[in-house]
């Protein structure tokens, strides 16, 4: 049976795609709101980015236990609706001129709490509505939609920001979350067997043991944690770097970030076949190495001359963004499909929450760190440091056991 015959997955895919389009609009709109409307610095952008992920540091492991004990669809619906309302609040307060950096941080902390639970359920929900043999295809389909949204979202955001301003661009995302919640509510989901009623501490330890004693997940988790640290430094710095040093406008930024989306679409389209031919570990190793030249192209882009951007800078940043998006699209479905396939259902919530919470904890460190280095020592220095970190991750991954991982490795499912 093909994916299209699984009606619950089709509804899930529609809801996910709807919110994805809004998310990639807000990703750019919120940063422009801080830099342009509120005259914020790279450090301000870093702190706002970190505030969104702070709940992952404080509540991530507990969230995994809660998710394994609750009705997952209800969590998806309520968190979608809640996030939609919060983004609408940002729009309204910005329009009336009462928004500031502090209030955005507070709102994004609350937004992050809802995202924490939504993300943990999202990744744990797919294996319950899709057969194991279709997991990689299902994740590829979801990430293809996200990639298409990433392609068009920034371009739409750039146009919207230039036309009606950054605050109203966030309104679009708010509405998309509300629509996603409504569609998600229509899924006819039958709850799986829930985790035992052991104390929370015992269940957290069980989730940690599963991830960090598994011969493959351990390497994947640790390497990805470090990757997120340097990835968050890059992403934090690039927007402010492009605006202030390369002379990019909001519209050009939208075009540039669309290149990453195009690369991601191509990457996700090739992901399943590449994994079957060269193995999950081999393809992921290639992807982790590909991030290095992608950022090098961006950091070598020549600065604007008398506030006018240079064509060479635009070309180099576009190619760099394309390669970065291609690498993420290529490895994303394989990584997620592998994690889901080797983890028992009763541990899905804790496995996903453990890995995701620590990954996001790295953003809490990396985003303000990148912004601080950029403000103190220059944007290019911050990007070079992230390049070195990404290179370490690529070499480490290539020399580890994970490079030999295969989706059909059923025998390692209990190896922890």
């Amino acid at each position: 049976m093909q994916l299209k015959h699984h009606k619950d997955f089709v509804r899930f895919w529609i809801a996910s795609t709807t919110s994805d389009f809004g998310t990639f609009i807000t990703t750019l709109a919120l940063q422009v709101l801080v830099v342009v409307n509120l005259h914020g610095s790279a450090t301000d952008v870093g702190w706002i980015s970190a505030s969104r992920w702070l709940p992952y540091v404080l509540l991530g492991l507990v969230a995994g236990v809660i998710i394994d004990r609750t009705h997952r669809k209800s969590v998806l619906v309520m968190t979608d609706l809640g996030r939609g309302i919060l983004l609408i609040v940002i729009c309204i307060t910005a329009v009336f001129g009462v928004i500031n950096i502090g209030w955005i941080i507070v709102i994004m902390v609350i937004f992050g709490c809802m995202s924490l639970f939504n993300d943990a359920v999202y990744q744990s929900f797919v294996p319950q509505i899709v057969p194991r043999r279709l997991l990689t295809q299902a994740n590829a389909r979801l990430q293809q939609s996200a990639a298409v949204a990433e392609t068009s979202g920034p371009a739409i955001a750039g146009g919207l920001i230039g036309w009606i301003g950054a605050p109203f661009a966030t309104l679009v995302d708010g509405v998309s979350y509300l629509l996603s919640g409504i569609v998600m509510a229509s899924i006819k989901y039958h709850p799986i067997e829930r985790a035992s009623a052991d104390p929370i501490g015992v269940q957290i330890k069980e989730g940690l043991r599963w991830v960090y004693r598994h011969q493959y997940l351990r390497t994947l988790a640790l390497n990805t944690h470090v990757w997120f640290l340097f990835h968050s430094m890059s992403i934090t710095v690039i927007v402010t770097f492009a605006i202030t040093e390369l002379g990019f406008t909001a519209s050009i930024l939208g075009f540039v970030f669309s290149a990453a989306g195009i690369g991601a679409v191509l990457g996700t389209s090739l992901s399943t076949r590449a994994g079957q031919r060269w193995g999950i570990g081999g393809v992921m190793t290639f992807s982790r190495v590909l991030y290095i030249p992608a950022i090098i192209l961006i950091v070598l882009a020549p600065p604007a001359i008398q506030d006018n951007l240079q064509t060479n800078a635009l070309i180099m940043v576009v190619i760099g963004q394309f390669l970065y998006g291609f690498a993420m699209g290529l490895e994303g479905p394989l990584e997620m499909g592998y994690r889901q396939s080797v983890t028992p259902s009763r541990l899905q919530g804790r496995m996903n929450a453990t890995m995701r919470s620590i990954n996001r904890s790295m953003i809490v460190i990396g985003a303000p760190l990148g912004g601080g280095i950029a403000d103190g020592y220059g944007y290019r220095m911050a990007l070079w440091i992230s390049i070195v970190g990404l290179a370490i991750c690529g070499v480490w991954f290539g020399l580890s056991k994970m490079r030999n991982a295969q989706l059909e490795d059923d025998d390692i499912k209990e190896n922890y």
Side-chain angles (χ1 to χ4, degrees):
M1 184 179 292
Q2 298 179 344
L3 279 176
K4 65 181 180 180
H5 297 131
H6 293 271
K7 295 182 179 179
D8 282 344
F9 174 77
V10 172
R11 293 188 180 97
F12 183 82
W13 171 74
I14 292 173
S16 175
T17 302
T18 301
S19 62
D20 280 343
F21 269 90
T23 296
F24 285 108
I25 292 174
T26 292
T27 298
L28 179 60
L30 193 59
Q31 291 178 323
V32 173
L33 175 66
V34 172
V35 175
V36 177
N37 295 66
L38 300 180
H39 308 290
S41 65
T43 302
D44 292 325
V45 174
W47 280 116
I48 287 175
S49 177
S51 66
R52 176 178 177 180
W53 308 113
L54 181 60
Y56 288 80
V57 180
L58 303 176
L59 303 172
L61 299 179
V62 176
V65 176
I66 296 174
I67 292 306
D68 283 336
R69 290 180 172 183
T70 58
H71 191 282
R72 293 174 178 174
K73 189 184 83 170
S74 298
V75 176
L76 288 171
V77 173
M78 296 305 296
T79 52
D80 271 349
L81 297 178
R83 288 184 294 177
I85 293 171
L86 288 175
L87 290 173
I88 293 172
V89 168
I90 290 179
C91 174
I92 295 174
T93 53
V95 168
F96 285 96
V98 295
I99 195 72
N100 56 43
I101 301 294
W103 277 115
I104 293 179
I105 289 176
V106 171
I107 291 173
M108 295 314 295
V109 168
I110 300 172
F111 185 96
C113 288
M114 295 184 182
S115 295
L116 164 62
F117 285 94
N118 186 278
D119 289 345
V121 174
Y122 180 96
Q123 296 177 342
S124 307
F125 199 65
V126 176
Q128 310 310 317
I129 57 177
V130 174
R132 181 180 180 276
R133 62 184 178 82
L134 295 178
L135 279 176
T136 299
Q137 294 180 36
N139 283 293
R141 181 66 56 83
L142 290 168
Q143 294 200 26
Q144 282 171 355
S145 298
V148 171
E150 185 179 359
T151 303
S152 55
I156 295 173
L160 285 174
I161 293 168
W163 180 36
I164 59 178
F168 284 102
T170 63
L171 179 64
V172 176
D173 192 14
V175 173
S176 74
Y177 274 117
L178 296 180
L179 293 175
S180 176
I182 293 172
V183 175
M184 201 73 73
S186 69
I187 295 177
K188 298 178 180 178
Y189 167 65
H190 301 288
I192 62 169
E193 180 183 356
R194 298 176 184 172
S196 67
D198 291 334
I200 290 180
V202 173
Q203 294 195 48
I204 288 176
K205 289 179 181 179
E206 186 179 14
L208 289 169
R209 283 197 303 270
W210 173 255
V211 172
Y212 294 110
R213 290 188 180 179
H214 194 289
Q215 64 170 319
Y216 289 93
L217 287 182
R218 177 178 60 248
T219 300
L220 177 60
L222 294 174
N223 188 275
T224 303
H225 298 337
V226 178
W227 180 88
F228 261 95
L229 175 68
F230 295 102
H231 164 75
S232 63
M233 290 177 61
S234 301
I235 298 304
T236 299
V237 173
I238 285 174
V239 171
T240 313
F241 170 64
I243 292 175
T244 61
E245 191 163 324
L246 302 184
F248 288 9
T249 63
S251 298
I252 293 174
L253 268 178
F255 170 74
V256 167
F257 283 110
S258 294
I262 294 172
V265 171
L266 180 60
T268 53
S269 299
L270 298 175
S271 182
T272 301
R273 283 176 291 177
Q276 291 171 346
R277 181 167 182 177
W278 291 293
I280 287 176
V283 175
M284 289 189 65
T285 299
F286 172 77
S287 297
R288 303 255 160 151
V289 172
L290 189 58
Y291 294 116
I292 304 167
I295 301 297
I296 288 177
L297 280 170
I298 296 172
V299 77
L300 293 179
I305 301 177
Q306 295 181 346
D307 297 327
N308 293 318
L309 70 90
Q310 296 190 49
T311 302
N312 289 341
L314 180 60
I315 293 174
M316 293 174 72
V317 176
V318 166
I319 295 175
Q321 284 289 301
F322 175 84
L323 292 177
Y324 207 93
F326 179 78
M328 292 185 71
L330 192 63
E331 74 163 319
L334 297 177
E335 178 192 352
M336 186 56 60
Y338 183 79
R339 284 163 48 183
Q340 292 169 340
S341 66
V342 301
T343 302
S345 296
R346 66 183 181 85
L347 288 169
Q348 286 283 339
R350 280 168 284 173
M351 178 274 294
N352 287 312
T354 296
M355 294 187 67
R356 199 171 183 91
S357 62
I358 299 179
N359 287 345
R360 270 45 186 182
S361 299
M362 294 298 102
I363 298 179
V364 174
I365 300 171
L369 177 62
I373 293 174
D375 286 338
Y377 301 96
Y379 301 110
R380 295 179 193 271
M381 176 60 73
L383 289 174
W384 277 118
I385 291 174
S386 71
I387 288 169
V388 172
L390 292 172
I392 291 173
C393 290
V395 173
W396 171 13
F397 199 96
L399 296 177
S400 70
K401 291 182 179 180
M402 186 63 202
R403 73 182 186 276
N404 299 317
Q406 299 288 343
L407 189 61
E408 59 269 18
D409 286 342
D410 294 327
D411 56 313
I412 63 175
K413 192 167 187 176
E414 298 301 331
N415 188 3
Y416 74 101

